[in-house]
Amino acid sequence: MSVQAVLRTQQQLMTCAAAKPWPAQLQKSSHTLAATRSRQASLRPPSCTATAEAQPSSMYDRPQLYDDAFSYRDFTAEAKFLLGAYQQHAADAGKLNTVLELGCGPANHAVQLAKRKAKVWALDANEAMLAYARDKAAAAGVEVTAMHGDMSDFEVQGMSGSFDMVVCLLGTLSHMLDNKQAAACFKRVAQHLRPGGLFVLELAHPGDLFDGSLLLQDTGAEMWEVDKPGRKMMVVWGTDVDQFDPESQVLERTVSIHTMKDGNMDECLLEEVVAYRQFTMQEIDLLATLTGMEVVGVYGDLDLNVSLNHEDAFRLVMCLRKL
Ligand SMILES: C[S@@+](CC[C@H](N)C(=O)[O-])C[C@H]1O[C@@H](n2cnc3c(N)ncnc32)[C@H](O)[C@@H]1O
């Protein structure tokens, strides 16, 4: 499987070129901008309700589809980053022995870390995802303890103050829609980390939050093609009608996944609107401070060589150390 492209619409590119007030280094990377598709293709995908085989539901209830849609990532390289970040930023690092992945989904990172001999726990609120994650770990021949739970209210028996590292990837913290939930999540993480242990978070890049486009309802729609044996799919991440509420900082993101036929989007396999709380770096710093952690590393991708203002930066990755 490969991603053939991560795409932005022409309309958004024009908006970027004309009005983006942020320095060039805070804008999307050039490889993202290079792969542009037509406005019509991205903003008017086939309707799910008009498609006979459509099964609108949550993507998290369809783990295989979710896993395919987000399989453009290189999990080996991302696991290497996590190990490197631990060595660089945890106190008394040594070998990475114990890891907890919050909102693990298919647990691809958990599996990779288990392959590198860490003892891994993976927590998710969705039973279908957990069953899928268990199968993936079994297929990879590694042990991952997949646990059902809410990341704002969890307890891993016998592991209080023990974890070397907790990770929460691909914007999963954005499911904590209000401050109370986010603070509860951080409190739980801090309770489970050993002193000097590391919490790694992957979130949206601040350039995407502060370029003003969210307020203009230009919500940064992206699409990418997934090429699987026997079928091609297009993932459409956002539309120009998505709503951002500046008070709650919650973005109502429309996500749809389509089959491809003759180079065009054909059947709609899934469509849903997912609420994502957008976090700023300052909020993460504050949450860390309030729960006995400190920010010790910031990156623009799951890559130790990509700083936040690097031209390839397109994520916010923050490393917090438990005091
Ligand atoms: C964006 S996916 C990320 C999955 C995985 N970390 C990855 O990188 O592909 C978010 C995951 O968080 C889970 N999730 C959502 N809300 C949650 C909560 N309150 N507690 C635990 N898991 C949650 C979902 O079921 C889903 O599997």
Side-chain angles (χ1 to χ4, degrees), residues 101-110 121-124 129-130 133 146-147 172:
E101 179 170 13
L102 296 180
C104 62
N108 290 305
H109 300 91
W121 284 254
L123 180 129
D124 204 283
M129 272 297 183
L130 288 169
M147 290 176 51
T172 298

Side-chain angles (χ1 to χ4, degrees), residues 58-61 66-67 70 73 75 78 101-109 123-127 129 149-153 167-173 175-176 181 202 237 276:
S58 163
M59 60 183 157
Y60 300 151
D61 289 331
Y66 171 89
D67 204 15
F70 294 91
R73 296 170 289 170
F75 296 111
E78 294 191 356
E101 179 170 13
L102 296 180
C104 62
N108 290 305
H109 300 91
L123 180 129
D124 204 283
N126 186 301
E127 292 284 11
M129 272 297 183
D150 187 319
M151 52 196 265
S152 66
D153 184 19
V167 302
C168 185
L169 304 170
L170 203 66
T172 298
L173 187 74
H175 288 304
M176 304 286 91
Q181 268 190 310
E202 182 193 8
W237 189 256
Y276 291 105

Side-chain angles (χ1 to χ4, degrees), residues 7-26:
L7 311 160
R8 299 204 91 188
T9 67
Q10 283 179 348
Q11 181 209 28
Q12 287 150 357
L13 290 175
M14 283 158 59
T15 308
C16 287
K20 241 181 183 176
W22 288 91
Q25 67 267 28
L26 284 189

